Amino acid sequence: MSAFSFKGFNADAYLALRPAYNRALVQWLLGYHVGKRVCAADIACGPGTFTVNLSPEFDHVLGVDPSLSMIESARNNARTNDIVNVKYKQGFGESLPIATDTVDLLTVMQGAHWFKFADFLSEAQRVLRPGGTLVLVGYGYPEIANWPESMKGRTFARTLATDKRLLRNYWDNGYTLIDELYAPFLDAIQASTGYTDVQHLQFPKTEQATSLHGINVLPESWIDSRTMPLGGFRAYVKTWSAYKSWKDQHPHDADIIDTFFDEQQSALGKSSSEEVKIKWPHFAIVARKRL
């Protein structure tokens, strides 16, 4: 279970600062999906970041998340935006609170790596209608797109996340699957007899993909880039689960992210008010439950 499930995590900050999925993603999924559009379910939905995008396309939408603070934030967001056909339940990917053969489209956005995947895949098979669509989307470490290569914008956040002196040891074990573009999940789905028309996708083409066969590059991004002050990017990084784990273990230490940003900004001559353009490389697996 990720750190998002525990008390003290700021779900509203997560909703405000995390990347947004755009219309191109919804349109692509609707083009792939051949089943009914009665019920969609978004698992590990967090504060409903993507869940609400499904509202105009399906009669009923259900968001499921283990965190009560995430669920409450999602409900508040739906009420604020007068979205009436989206409901939220507390639950886990390995034991979905959903009836058998009732879901037409099941999505997991940046959450499948926290699951016991074999158990989740069995549950997805159970709740999806025949011909229903399974969608797993993940995104990697953000990149600062408007910094020149000499300023290491592509690796700024990756360094913070993967250096053992920083946050590397505070991620849940599942996060290594992000760097693998969910390839082990692809293997498990393809080995299953329950799914067909399996596709592996990414945007843009990345170095990790060179060792993967059959991965396709999307024609356009599914996650919008965002321009924000560098101080806002610092706040975004503080929504990482690894940072929450670090804080829980080091409540009296100098803040590890503030220290990193202060040192890097001083070395690069950057202020917190300077705007940066952030992009998130992303990838997906889609599959269809056999009829």
Side-chain angles (χ1 to χ4, degrees):
M1 184 188 304
S2 87
F4 302 141
S5 303
F6 301 118
K7 292 182 179 180
F9 187 79
N10 190 332
D12 292 333
Y14 189 101
L15 177 62
L17 295 167
R18 283 289 176 124
Y21 305 98
N22 60 32
R23 186 65 187 170
L25 166 55
V26 176
Q27 288 298 108
W28 194 98
L29 292 180
L30 293 177
Y32 174 89
H33 180 66
V34 297
K36 297 178 180 179
R37 296 192 192 178
V38 177
C39 178
D42 187 29
I43 313 304
C45 67
T49 305
F50 180 69
T51 320
V52 295
N53 292 14
L54 298 171
S55 170
E57 311 298 342
F58 289 81
D59 295 341
H60 308 285
V61 181
L62 175 65
V64 176
D65 198 272
S67 167
L68 285 176
S69 65
M70 289 287 196
I71 292 293
E72 186 57 33
S73 180
R75 287 172 175 162
N76 289 338
N77 183 44
R79 283 193 294 266
T80 299
N81 291 283
D82 295 320
I83 299 172
V84 298
N85 67 331
V86 177
K87 305 298 181 186
Y88 293 95
K89 288 184 179 180
Q90 186 180 27
F92 297 86
E94 299 86 354
S95 55
L96 295 173
I98 302 173
T100 300
D101 292 338
T102 58
V103 174
D104 301 300
L105 176 78
L106 188 148
T107 61
V108 187
M109 318 301 285
Q110 192 69 356
H113 47 283
W114 304 129
F115 299 160
K116 294 178 181 177
F117 193 73
D119 293 341
F120 164 74
L121 195 59
S122 176
E123 278 290 87
Q125 174 78 6
R126 178 182 67 80
V127 304
L128 278 169
R129 301 185 203 269
T133 299
L134 173 65
V135 182
L136 312 177
V137 175
Y139 54 81
Y141 302 113
E143 300 175 358
I144 302 176
N146 61 330
W147 281 8
E149 190 64 32
S150 61
M151 296 176 64
K152 299 181 179 180
R154 289 186 60 197
T155 59
F156 184 91
R158 177 177 286 274
T159 298
L160 175 60
T162 61
D163 191 316
K164 291 182 178 180
R165 297 166 297 178
L166 299 170
L167 293 179
R168 174 66 184 88
N169 295 325
Y170 298 93
W171 294 103
D172 287 7
N173 290 335
Y175 207 79
T176 59
L177 291 158
I178 293 290
D179 273 338
E180 297 177 273
L181 309 182
Y182 283 177
F185 296 163
L186 179 71
D187 294 341
I189 293 170
Q190 290 177 325
S192 168
T193 60
Y195 296 92
T196 186
D197 299 325
V198 182
Q199 295 188 34
H200 197 191
L201 311 158
Q202 71 166 172
F203 184 91
K205 185 176 182 179
T206 63
E207 295 175 1
Q208 297 103 306
T210 57
S211 61
L212 299 174
H213 299 289
I215 190 167
N216 297 313
V217 179
L218 291 163
E220 57 185 322
S221 176
W222 285 356
I223 299 178
D224 289 332
S225 60
R226 292 183 63 176
T227 298
M228 64 181 76
L230 192 53
F233 187 46
R234 181 188 301 218
Y236 157 77
V237 170
K238 289 186 177 183
T239 70
W240 286 356
S241 62
Y243 173 65
K244 173 66 167 60
S245 297
W246 179 89
K247 281 196 71 175
D248 288 346
Q249 296 179 43
H250 302 273
H252 305 299
D253 290 1
D255 189 283
I256 194 168
I257 287 179
D258 286 339
T259 299
F260 177 80
F261 269 76
D262 288 346
E263 290 176 350
Q264 295 299 312
Q265 288 178 219
S266 177
L268 296 170
K270 298 291 184 181
S271 71
S272 293
S273 61
E274 178 171 331
E275 289 196 336
V276 289
K277 183 177 183 180
I278 308 301
K279 293 184 177 182
W280 287 266
H282 47 282
F283 52 90
I285 298 171
V286 296
R288 189 172 292 118
K289 181 177 174 179
R290 292 186 184 275
L291 295 172

